[in-house]
Amino acid sequence: MSSTMNTVGATTYERIKHDIIFGNLAPGAKLKLESLLERYAASVSTLRETLNRLASEGFVDAAEQRGFFVRPVSESDLTEIANLRILLECSALETSIAAGDADWEGNLVAAHHKLHKVEQQMLAGDETQKELWKRYDWEFHLALIQACNSHNLLSLHATIFDKYLRYQILLLTYRGQIAMDEHRTMFNAALARDTVKASAALETHIRAGLNHALAAMADRKTPL
């Protein structure tokens, strides 16, 4: 019974988090338990536990006496998230390149191949696979740093990456050929064990994505 309850809780957590990241639960929206009960078919205790967990991770705000709300978005929040991502990911990348073995190289090659294929589809104007695109983007960036051998760092990075991803999905900030080229530069530098070039390319990639997203936010006539 305990195992079943844990499975239900994990599934509910993943579904609500997914819906926040992909904009199905809009920034600032109140998360009413009655609506969530119907939408996710989970118990009140499971939903409360899930929302508290998401609040601790920064995806939900818990307002005293007012309930739970999807965390709003802002330019300052996005900038802070991007800077944290650079700090964590560049450090992990340098360690990963130094420690990576043949299995790490093989996983990186496979991850880049999948990402490159879906990026080509996006570049051709097919945006129907945006969720697959972002999954492969995540898998590529994870493959780059996987050999850092730090569970704590990887866990922190995963949360920060998801927060960054939410902005990308809400704004659909695809930078086309430029982003593809940046990924290839990181890929080639990592395989060549050039930590300086790989780290510099990664920071450039994240900062360029940040600036692109900030410009998209400024261009919007209505808030997200």
Side-chain angles (χ1 to χ4, degrees):
M1 178 66 73
S2 177
S3 176
T4 301
M5 290 177 67
N6 289 338
T7 301
V8 171
T11 300
T12 303
Y13 165 80
E14 292 296 342
R15 289 180 62 198
I16 295 178
K17 183 178 178 182
H18 175 279
D19 284 348
I20 291 173
I21 291 173
F22 283 84
N24 298 321
L25 294 171
K30 184 168 185 178
L31 297 168
K32 299 179 181 179
L33 286 177
E34 315 85 70
S35 300
L36 297 179
L37 281 167
E38 182 177 347
R39 182 168 184 162
Y40 298 104
S43 68
V44 171
S45 60
T46 295
L47 287 171
R48 287 190 183 278
E49 181 181 341
T50 296
L51 294 176
N52 280 315
R53 179 180 175 185
L54 289 168
S56 71
E57 294 177 352
F59 294 96
V60 166
D61 284 336
E64 191 173 353
Q65 305 300 323
R66 295 179 57 226
F68 295 95
F69 297 80
V70 177
R71 177 66 62 89
V73 296
S74 69
E75 294 179 1
S76 61
D77 182 58
L78 173 57
T79 300
E80 182 180 3
I81 289 168
N83 287 332
L84 283 171
R85 187 180 162 197
I86 290 169
L87 182 67
L88 293 172
E89 200 166 331
C90 286
S91 175
L93 176 61
E94 292 172 7
T95 305
S96 188
I97 289 174
D101 57 13
D103 287 336
W104 170 76
E105 290 184 356
N107 290 334
L108 181 57
V109 169
H112 181 262
H113 175 72
K114 290 192 294 184
L115 174 60
H116 184 68
K117 294 288 287 185
V118 77
E119 282 183 321
Q120 287 179 316
Q121 289 180 289
M122 295 283 292
L123 196 61
D126 180 3
E127 296 183 352
T128 60
Q129 299 294 318
K130 70 176 184 178
E131 189 166 341
L132 183 65
W133 159 50
K134 294 320 301 179
R135 178 159 68 87
Y136 286 167
D137 183 58
W138 157 245
E139 289 178 1
F140 171 70
H141 282 275
L142 179 60
L144 281 169
I145 66 173
Q146 190 74 60
C148 74
N149 296 319
S150 171
H151 174 77
N152 289 323
L153 195 158
L154 291 173
S155 179
L156 285 170
H157 172 262
T159 298
I160 293 297
F161 194 98
D162 280 344
K163 291 180 179 181
Y164 187 88
L165 172 61
R166 182 165 77 120
Y167 280 90
Q168 289 187 309
I169 293 299
L170 290 171
L171 298 163
L172 192 58
T173 53
Y174 181 56
R175 295 184 295 115
Q177 187 67 52
I178 295 174
M180 287 179 63
D181 292 343
E182 289 166 356
H183 283 141
R184 182 171 291 280
T185 298
M186 284 183 276
F187 171 69
N188 289 334
L191 288 183
R193 308 294 173 140
D194 189 336
T195 55
V196 174
K197 185 174 182 179
S199 183
L202 174 59
E203 181 170 353
T204 295
H205 175 68
I206 296 172
R207 292 204 182 280
L210 168 64
N211 292 333
H212 192 77
L214 289 173
M217 290 180 77
D219 286 344
R220 282 180 176 258
K221 296 180 180 179
T222 56
L224 293 170

